[in-house]
Amino acid sequence: METLSVSASHGGTQGVYAHQSAATGTRMTFSVFVPPQAKAGPVPVVWYLSGLTCTHANVTEKGEYRRLCAELGLMFVAPDTSPRGEGVADDPAGSWDFGLGAGFYVDATEAPYAANYRMWSYITDELPALIAAEFPADMSRQSITGHSMGGHGALTIALSFPDRFRAVSAFAPIVAPAQVPWGHKALGGYLGPDTAAWRKHDAVALIEDGARVADILVDQGEADGFLAEQLKPHLLADACAKAGIGLTLRMQPGYDHSYYFISSFMDDHLRWHAERLA
């Protein structure tokens, strides 16, 4: 692991790191905030998964999480959203919602993406092992959150590993990618045309197929331009109601899809996680 930068913040440290990933076959960059409580021993870990076009830097620079993470004693880990570098396949049409920056937190099976786009294995296996080895992380106390495409990733990963993650939340998540254009493009391009293979990467489908968590917190801006076509939180609400999952879905008037929205409700999400990680 290479340390790219470390800065003091709120009594802890904000670092940016890189390593050569076996899962993606590329150099991957991620950020970690270590709170001051880690000086006395391992601390719980909150994973944050970013959205389309983002890197680790978006939430690191705009998320406004460090003050409360320092107060609550939470480590905050923010990975990148896709493999990058020379030779990594991108969308031949050059669109922003597929390819580089849009790994969708799946292990691709379709050429040419299968060679590098293995973000599911990277997030659920390789990076946690690295965090456990290199940082004062209490891996028995983990939770996960994310935004948009990252909210999709947080929900599907938490539903797939309910014994690993004590809490899950999301900001404006893509809850049912199999039913929206972003999902059709990403899941079809990475996993192929067999929609049955898409179900383990669709939160609503996972719940329909029996996956369970105790509760979920979702914030969604009512002024989000992607709300009606791409996000459709009512589908998650319906699935959770049928499955008996406690969903707190908060529709926030006036808020859009940006980090102004995310940073406004970050404290609420961190307190949600801290209560369940205690």
Side-chain angles (χ1 to χ4, degrees), residues 38-98:
K39 297 170 186 175
V43 293
V45 180
V46 177
W47 293 87
Y48 178 93
L49 305 185
S50 294
L52 290 164
T53 75
C54 293
T55 70
H56 70 281
N58 297 75
V59 70
T60 305
E61 296 169 2
K62 303 175 184 178
E64 300 181 20
Y65 57 83
R66 279 173 287 271
R67 176 193 57 80
L68 195 57
C69 280
E71 176 185 321
L72 298 173
L74 301 174
M75 183 180 296
F76 193 95
V77 180
D80 203 347
T81 53
S82 78
R84 301 175 193 270
E86 185 176 353
V88 176
D90 198 3
D91 184 355
S95 64
W96 59 272
D97 56 359
F98 185 78

Side-chain angles (χ1 to χ4, degrees), residues 98-179:
F98 185 78
L100 298 181
F104 231 77
Y105 305 103
V106 303
D107 282 353
T109 57
E110 297 296 296
Y113 306 103
N116 302 113
Y117 284 77
R118 300 185 56 79
M119 291 301 295
W120 180 270
S121 292
Y122 179 71
I123 297 296
T124 65
D125 185 19
E126 184 177 18
L127 189 55
L130 182 64
I131 295 298
E134 299 287 347
F135 295 91
D138 182 352
M139 302 303 280
S140 69
R141 292 189 291 163
Q142 298 182 68
S143 68
I144 192 166
T145 186
H147 169 231
S148 193
M149 177 185 72
H152 141 76
L155 291 172
T156 57
I157 290 172
L159 286 162
S160 299
F161 298 93
D163 295 332
R164 181 187 303 186
F165 297 99
R166 295 194 186 184
V168 58
S169 71
F171 302 88
I174 306 169
V175 304
Q179 302 185 51

Side-chain angles (χ1 to χ4, degrees), residues 46 143-145 167-169 269-278:
V46 177
S143 68
I144 192 166
T145 186
V168 58
S169 71
H269 284 245
L270 292 174
R271 293 190 188 282
W272 169 277
H273 288 262
E275 289 174 1
R276 288 154 180 79
L277 291 167

